[in-house]
Amino acid sequence: LSFGALLFPQLEETTTENRPTRFRDQASSATEAYSITQSWYGWGTLAHPLFVKPLWSRGVFVTAVSSSEEPQFGFVWHAQDRTPHGSILTRMKEQDNFPNTNG
């Protein structure tokens, strides 16, 4: 999952009435929805397995909470024809193999 969030300038569609307030993690079998606490419009990469036919799709980078977990980052895909669906982002163990280059 690749994503980019545009913090400034804001996109025209960033009115609060269009922003989702809840979503379900499409990678989880849990039925509980996440509540969105903060959100930023941007783009995410969708692709078939093995990253075949990738394309960019609009969406919302979010911080979200469920009743049983700490706040987490996620990405909710823009979908006018269905309920909001998204992915909770998880840290990969491979990320620990590279030093922080931010100082």
Side-chain angles (χ1 to χ4, degrees), residues 10-22 36 39 41 60:
Q10 290 190 344
L11 299 173
E12 290 181 21
E13 65 210 17
T14 60
T15 61
T16 55
E17 64 195 40
N18 295 335
R19 291 184 186 218
T21 57
R22 298 178 64 77
I36 296 172
S39 60
Y41 276 95
V60 185

Side-chain angles (χ1 to χ4, degrees), residues 83-102:
T83 58
H85 63 291
S87 299
I88 292 295
L89 306 177
T90 56
R91 183 173 177 82
M92 297 171 28
K93 65 179 181 175
E94 290 81 5
Q95 290 176 281
D96 296 330
N97 296 333
F98 301 95
N100 184 353
T101 58
N102 294 331

Side-chain angles (χ1 to χ4, degrees), residues 13 18 20 41-42 46 57-60 75-85:
E13 65 210 17
N18 295 335
Y41 276 95
L46 297 169
S57 180
R58 287 186 180 193
V60 185
F75 197 86
V76 179
W77 306 105
H78 178 73
Q80 295 177 338
D81 59 339
R82 59 188 267 196
T83 58
H85 63 291

Side-chain angles (χ1 to χ4, degrees), residues 45-55:
T45 305
L46 297 169
H48 292 272
L50 302 176
F51 209 67
V52 174
K53 298 183 181 178
L55 60 97

Side-chain angles (χ1 to χ4, degrees), residues 19-38:
R19 291 184 186 218
T21 57
R22 298 178 64 77
F23 75 100
R24 295 191 192 285
D25 181 12
Q26 63 188 11
S28 171
S29 60
T31 58
E32 185 174 18
Y34 285 83
S35 295
I36 296 172
T37 57
Q38 292 181 292

